[in-house]
Amino acid sequence: MDDISLAAQLRRPAGDDASAIGEKMNISNAAVNRQAIGMLGLSAPQRVLEIGPGNGAFIEEIVADTAGEATGVHYTGLDWSAAMVEEASRRNAALVRSGCVQLLHGDAAALPFSAASFERVMAVNALYFWQPPLQYLAEIRRVMTPDGLLCLAFGDKAFMRHLPFTAHGFSLYDSDDVGALLTQAGLHVVSVRRFHEHARGITGGELDKTFILMTARPA
């Protein structure tokens, strides 16, 4: 797959390649996903919104404990890839039937939820595709409770710009860039964490990766 096609699939997996791309993202992004989940500090009966959950590989880790028992957390995932919503629904069918997980197809530029619907919001490797980013962040702030917490995780610009596919439709950021956007959207930065790992990249090779995880609350 060439860089242009790969970039398009990472943005919105579709067609015959969607399933394989979803599994590659799971492998490449497993550690940063778990870091983001940990930073949310989840407890019952919080309502969690994830923007861009892909095929839902990490949903069970949000709503269940290590023994697989429900924790009382309610999860909603919104993805603009219909193929990923279908796969996530299949992967998490029992959790969906139980009522603790809801999966929707849609664009987070216009979230289909009322104000103050969620105590926690997370998005891992989705920020690159939000155009304009302030519209998405304003929507996130709208649906957060006044004491809510957002966790954004994204590859640092200095690392990401060396990946050839990011030249095609990716907007790259560092922590200062995102901090300024969060402030403009009416959010107050609570914490900034840099996460480094040497692990497999989306194209299969081993990479030294740097991610930034930022938490913020309504100002």
Side-chain angles (χ1 to χ4, degrees):
M1 185 180 299
D2 62 32
D3 291 334
I4 294 175
S5 299
L6 176 58
Q9 284 289 346
L10 292 174
R11 182 178 187 274
R12 185 179 300 183
D16 294 340
D17 295 318
S19 181
I21 286 291
E23 290 305 319
K24 287 180 179 180
M25 288 192 290
N26 293 343
I27 295 168
S28 180
N29 299 326
V32 70
N33 268 280
R34 293 184 172 119
Q35 289 281 321
I37 292 167
M39 290 179 74
L40 290 177
L42 295 171
S43 62
Q46 288 172 341
R47 298 160 295 175
V48 181
L49 170 64
E50 182 174 11
I51 297 170
N55 65 14
F58 304 97
I59 292 174
E60 186 173 2
E61 297 181 30
I62 294 174
V63 301
D65 61 22
T66 55
E69 298 296 322
T71 59
V73 171
H74 186 276
Y75 172 95
T76 298
L78 182 85
D79 205 291
W80 59 10
S81 165
M84 290 296 95
V85 174
E86 182 178 344
E87 290 217 4
S89 299
R90 185 165 52 247
R91 182 187 289 261
N92 297 281
L95 293 172
V96 172
R97 287 194 299 271
S98 77
C100 69
V101 168
Q102 178 184 29
L103 293 160
L104 302 172
H105 177 226
D107 187 347
L111 291 169
F113 312 111
S114 59
S117 291
F118 299 97
E119 286 82 15
R120 296 291 186 267
V121 181
M122 66 179 284
V124 177
N125 287 332
L127 176 62
Y128 324 116
F129 311 119
W130 295 352
Q131 295 297 331
L134 280 175
Q135 181 174 343
Y136 286 79
L137 291 171
E139 274 292 274
I140 288 171
R141 188 192 185 286
R142 180 183 66 80
V143 302
M144 290 173 68
T145 58
D147 61 346
L149 185 70
L150 163 68
C151 182
L152 284 181
F154 54 97
D156 182 53
K157 178 165 55 179
F159 150 61
M160 292 287 287
R161 67 188 179 194
H162 296 295
L163 304 177
F165 57 83
T166 65
H168 308 285
F170 282 65
S171 294
L172 304 182
Y173 302 93
D174 59 25
S175 57
D176 289 341
D177 298 329
V178 176
L181 287 171
L182 290 167
T183 298
Q184 291 178 67
L187 293 152
H188 169 70
V189 176
V190 175
S191 67
V192 180
R193 178 184 298 177
R194 296 179 71 83
F195 172 64
H196 305 278
E197 66 168 342
H198 183 78
R200 182 187 290 187
I202 199 71
T203 57
E206 296 287 312
L207 295 172
D208 289 313
K209 305 179 186 180
T210 300
F211 292 98
I212 298 170
L213 297 100
M214 301 182 70
T215 61
R217 295 188 185 276

